[in-house]
Amino acid sequence: MKEIRGNVIVGQSGGPTAVINSSLVGVYKTARDRGAKIVYGMLHGIQGLLESRVVDLSDHIKSDLDIELLKRTPSSYLGSCRFKLPEIHEDQEIYKKIFHILDDMEIEYFFYIGGNDSMDTIKKLSDYSILNGSRIRFMGVPKTIDNDLAATDHTPGYGSAAKYIGSITKEVIRDGLVYDQQNVTLIEIMGRNAGWLTGAAALAKCEDCEGPDMIFLPEIPFDIEEFMNKIAGLHKQKKSVVVAISEGIRVEDGRYVCELTDNVDYVDAFGHRQLTGTARYLASRIARETGCKTRAIEFSSLQRCASHMVSRVDITEAYQVGGAAVKAAFEGETGKMVILKRISDDPYICVTDIYDVHKVANIEKKVPREWINEAGDYVTEEFLNYLRPLIQAELTPIMTDGLPRHLYCKNNKNQ
Ligand code: F6P
């Protein structure tokens, strides 16, 4: 007979991915299967919890079809937030309020699916809980397309975004070849200060495609003059040039290239500037200085939620990390994040483990220098060997009337 457990709450935080709801299902199903009484969902993460905006997930997930739909639904079903908790010594009131709300709901287990900012929330809540003798257990479930979380081999969300980027980069390259005329296409890819996602553009280089001509990651300072010279050099050899550029590239003095445009002011609660406009800025500069036809394509939010092209490896692991978090918390763990540990590349074998969240929160894992070529304008074969297993296989969407069908949350006021 299964043991009866206390109540569970789960939230989603930070930027969305194509598979974050698979982790939500992993938490929900594992918790229910292992005896949790009620599994609540926070609407818009900790920010919604502060206003007691929660739902009972069993009112939302009623059938096996709902489970399959939710797994395949992109973006955060419960809604998300970018909300930074103060340091515990700075403001106890907000913690008192959160624990009061959790105690009223008889919560014993708290799960937060997110990236390094979200792990900061788990770290602070678990510290407060221990300091104040609460029995609530706090666990982090990793997620981010940026793949910049420390300690884990990779993060759920990354493989699917990388698969999409590799695929559409191939299509952009094909498109650029259509006219017998010089042209430059600059592709701007997310990932903030880490180049994991931008490096995925190199997947396009394969038997039937020569791949992008250059790839610039934020790990290497960006020299605009050198970049212009390289474009000119490439145009001596070929007409259509395609370059992948990370949204987070910076010039030598530390400024983001997109800041040179002076048109982005938005900064979130964690102090992250919205990065956009890098490709546009560089494309305009090429057009102005050379007269060449240019096109700037910002993949932007398209690359985060392309659930029609998820990696089966990724969506399966997203489910597993949710389940592993529940198992660990039910066994008494707190203040930890689930990590993925790669056992081998070929065959690809990866297992879950848990890791101290204090050693993960707010740390950005960058692409190692040796996985970037010497010239700083492409990734190496080692990078691709690391990435390729993560994009393998597909999970077909459930199609209705020619389009993928999603499960949406009727309680989420923004929907
Ligand atoms: O953290 C994931 C991410 O998609 C980054 O790659 C990107 O810089 C950021 O989120 C954008 O965040 P927002 O959706 O809050 O503008």
Side-chain angles (χ1 to χ4, degrees):
M1 218 177 73
K2 71 182 168 193
E3 199 178 331
I4 303 298
R5 303 279 183 175
N7 294 340
V8 164
I9 193 159
V10 53
Q12 297 171 305
S13 164
T17 80
V19 301
I20 183 173
N21 292 324
S22 184
S23 295
L24 178 63
V25 176
V27 170
Y28 173 75
K29 238 190 133 302
T30 312
R32 290 306 299 263
D33 290 351
R34 288 175 177 247
K37 275 192 274 183
I38 303 175
V39 182
Y40 290 103
M42 305 168 214
L43 295 176
H44 299 285
I46 197 81
Q47 195 175 348
L49 180 69
L50 277 162
E51 295 165 12
S52 298
R53 291 171 64 198
V54 297
V55 292
D56 178 341
L57 276 172
S58 63
D59 294 336
H60 291 242
I61 307 172
K62 293 189 172 144
S63 64
D64 288 348
L65 176 62
D66 286 347
I67 291 213
E68 289 309 314
L69 278 175
L70 184 52
K71 271 199 234 163
R72 290 165 172 81
T73 297
S75 189
S76 308
Y77 177 81
L78 294 167
S80 188
C81 67
R82 293 211 186 266
F83 186 89
K84 189 175 170 72
L85 281 174
E87 295 303 325
I88 296 173
H89 64 268
E90 279 171 13
D91 177 6
Q92 300 253 323
E93 289 314 305
I94 192 164
Y95 290 93
K96 284 185 192 152
K97 186 169 180 190
I98 291 170
F99 277 78
H100 182 69
I101 292 169
L102 294 176
D103 286 339
D104 267 0
M105 293 164 68
E106 297 178 0
I107 300 296
E108 287 184 25
Y109 307 96
F110 181 113
F111 301 95
Y112 215 37
I113 311 170
N116 37 34
D117 296 339
S118 315
M119 294 311 134
D120 178 66
T121 301
I122 285 291
K123 176 183 81 132
K124 287 170 177 160
L125 290 174
S126 61
D127 285 352
Y128 184 89
S129 160
I130 290 166
L131 281 172
N132 292 278
S134 162
R135 63 188 177 145
I136 306 174
R137 312 207 171 269
F138 292 87
M139 287 293 295
V141 182
K143 166 255 31 166
T144 168
I145 59 163
D146 297 350
N147 196 38
D148 61 351
L149 266 177
T152 185
D153 177 79
H154 57 279
T155 52
Y158 174 56
S160 296
K163 186 180 180 91
Y164 178 74
I165 286 166
S167 309
I168 54 173
T169 299
K170 279 184 84 171
E171 291 164 359
V172 167
I173 292 168
R174 281 265 159 272
D175 181 283
L177 293 168
V178 73
Y179 300 121
D180 191 18
Q181 177 196 353
Q182 280 205 333
N183 66 92
V184 179
T185 305
L186 300 181
I187 296 171
E188 180 177 323
I189 297 175
M190 279 185 170
R192 207 166 263 154
N193 298 316
W196 298 103
L197 263 189
T198 308
L203 290 166
K205 188 173 182 173
C206 46
E207 218 189 356
D208 56 353
C209 178
E210 63 174 9
D213 296 289
M214 298 188 284
I215 300 177
F216 292 97
L217 311 188
E219 281 78 359
I220 309 274
F222 188 74
D223 182 328
I224 297 181
E225 295 315 320
E226 196 183 315
F227 166 75
M228 297 296 284
N229 289 338
K230 284 181 175 177
I231 296 282
L234 280 162
H235 263 161
K236 289 192 183 126
Q237 302 157 33
K238 59 197 307 228
K239 289 195 175 153
S240 177
V241 171
V242 176
V243 183
I245 289 169
S246 168
E247 63 173 9
I249 53 169
R250 297 169 190 252
V251 288
E252 194 65 53
D253 66 13
R255 275 175 308 159
Y256 289 111
V257 170
C258 67
E259 284 180 285
L260 306 178
T261 62
D262 231 26
N263 63 2
V264 185
D265 296 321
Y266 182 76
V267 178
D268 73 15
F270 289 86
H272 303 308
R273 179 171 292 278
Q274 188 183 7
L275 304 174
T276 175
T278 306
R280 179 77 271 147
Y281 171 77
L282 293 172
S284 306
R285 205 156 154 177
I286 296 168
R288 202 169 48 242
E289 291 181 22
T290 69
C292 173
K293 180 174 182 189
T294 61
R295 183 161 266 136
I297 308 179
E298 219 178 295
F299 284 172
S300 188
S301 54
L302 298 177
Q303 67 206 293
R304 293 203 290 210
C305 287
S307 62
H308 62 286
M309 199 182 267
V310 288
S311 142
R312 187 186 272 263
V313 166
D314 188 31
I315 200 163
T316 307
E317 289 180 342
Y319 183 93
Q320 285 166 348
V321 294
V326 172
K327 189 167 168 287
F330 282 12
E331 282 167 4
E333 296 289 351
T334 190
K336 305 273 165 45
M337 181 188 87
V338 174
I339 57 168
L340 288 162
K341 276 170 91 169
R342 192 183 301 219
I343 308 295
S344 74
D345 283 327
D346 188 14
Y348 173 69
I349 302 173
C350 200
V351 295
T352 58
D353 202 348
I354 50 171
Y355 201 82
D356 185 351
V357 78
H358 297 80
K359 297 183 185 153
V360 177
N362 305 312
I363 299 169
E364 284 176 322
K365 183 178 76 181
K366 305 280 180 69
V367 177
R369 181 62 185 90
E370 60 275 20
W371 286 6
I372 305 169
N373 71 357
E374 217 174 305
D377 59 12
Y378 224 89
V379 291
T380 63
E381 205 45 45
E382 284 99 314
F383 179 96
L384 289 167
N385 291 341
Y386 160 83
L387 173 55
R388 277 199 192 97
L390 312 183
I391 67 156
Q392 297 306 315
E394 293 73 43
L395 185 70
T396 320
I398 295 169
M399 305 296 284
T400 308
D401 208 10
L403 294 180
R405 186 167 158 197
H406 300 155
L407 193 74
Y408 72 98
C409 181
K410 298 181 183 69
N411 300 71
N412 182 346
K413 281 193 249 165
N414 294 345
Q415 295 196 8

